Amino acid sequence: MWISLAFALVLTIGTSSAQDANCDFVSNVQAGQSYYVYSPNYPQNYRPGVQCRWVGICPSGYNCRLDCNDISLPQTSGCSLDRLLISKSGDPQLTSADYYCGTGTVTAVSTGQRISVGLITSTQSPGGRFMCQLTAQAATTNPTCSCGYKKTNRIVGGQQTGVNEFPMMAGLAHKDIAQIKCGAVIISKRYVMTAAHCLTGQSLSNLAIIVGEHDVTVGDSPATQGFQVISAIIHPNYTPSNYDYDIAILKTNADITFSDRVGPVCLPFKFVNTDFTGSKLTILGWGTQFPGGPTSNYLQKVDVDVISQTSCRNVVPTLTARQICTYTPGKDACQDDSGGPLLYTDSSNGLLYSIGIVSNGRFCAGANQPGVNTRVPALLSWIQTNTPDASYCYK
C-alpha cells in the first residue's frame, strides 16, 4: 500500500496467484513529502497468494529512497516461499530486482528517478508483513560515480552472505596453493587495498586478485574475475611488532569490470574526524571460524562493535591512532580473514564505507580480546598519494 502524509489510497487486495490489477500502483513522489509502502492488511499479516507491485517516480534531479524498517517474511532458502523485491533501476518487470525474506531492515536508493517494489507470496504462505517509507532524495552531482553499493539477495540470520552481496570484496590468492589467503577490498578499477602483513614473504608472481567470488569451490558467480598483481605498495612505516600502519595497495594488470556484482567500496573521506566508538562494522572473509580450523568455502560476514581507544588500550598497550578496535563476544575475524574490510553502513545513503582493514587479534573471538584493525580514515592521504591514476567517489 502507499499512503502519503496528506492522503490515503485504499486498495482492494485479491488472493489470486496472478498479478492483482487492484494491487498495481504508480505514484508520483513529491520532494519534501513522505509516502509509505506496506503489505496488504498491515500491520496484520497479508493473506496467501498475493502479488502486488508499486512504482515510485521521483522529480527530475532526485532519486527515490526507500527505507524499510519492518520486514517480517517467512525465511526460506532462496526466498522460495514469499519474497519482497526492490528494483533500484525502476524496472517494472522486477526481473533483476534484489529480493528479501526473513526479518530485518533494508535501505535502497534508486539509480535514476524510478524505483519498483514487488511482493510475491505463495498460496501456502503462513503470512508476513512489511512497511517502507518512500521519499525523494536529491541526486548526486555525478550520477556515473558509484561506490559502496550492495546486491543483497536475502536477509538471513546466519553468517553466509548472499552471492555477490558485497561487490567490493576481493580475495588475495596464492597461486602455488590455489587458495585465497587474505581478504582485500576494491577501491578503484585498478587497485585493491589489503593488510601489509598479507604480503610478508610473498613475491608478486605468486599473488593473484580474485573479485566477484562467493563459493570458492564451485565458482557460483558469473561475475568472478582474476587478475595478476603488477605492483604492491606497503606503507613505509609498517611495524610488524604491533601492526601499526598495516596497509598495502595492490595494482591489477587490467581494469576490473564493474557491475551490480562487482564494484568499489566508498573511501571514508566524510568520516576523517569520526571516532566510530559504539558503531557496528561488518567484517567479511573466507577465513577459519576457529583457530586452526578449516577455512570457509563461502564468503562469511559478521557484525562487530567498535570499542573506545581507551578501553582497547587497557588490553592492547601498543595501540596507536592508526588502529581501531572491535569487540563483540563470540564474534571476530580469524585466520585468513586478514586484509579484508570492516564496512560501515551510512544510514543517510545506505552506502558502505571502508573504515578498517582486518589486521590482528588474539584467539579469534577470545574472551575480552578485541580485534585490532587498521583505521582507514587516518591513512587516506597516503592512499591517494600512492594511487595517482585512480578516480574516487566522494559520497
Side-chain angles (χ1 to χ4, degrees), residues 2 26-30 55-59 64 113-115 134:
W2 297 53
V26 177
S27 181
N28 291 308
V29 180
Q30 301 301 313
V55 177
I57 305 173
C58 290
C64 296
Q113 291 177 239
R114 291 174 177 256
I115 196 165
L134 176 70

Side-chain angles (χ1 to χ4, degrees), residues 76-88:
T76 54
S77 176
C79 298
S80 58
L81 193 63
D82 297 356
R83 60 176 59 181
L84 173 68
L85 302 102
I86 301 174
S87 171
K88 297 175 187 176

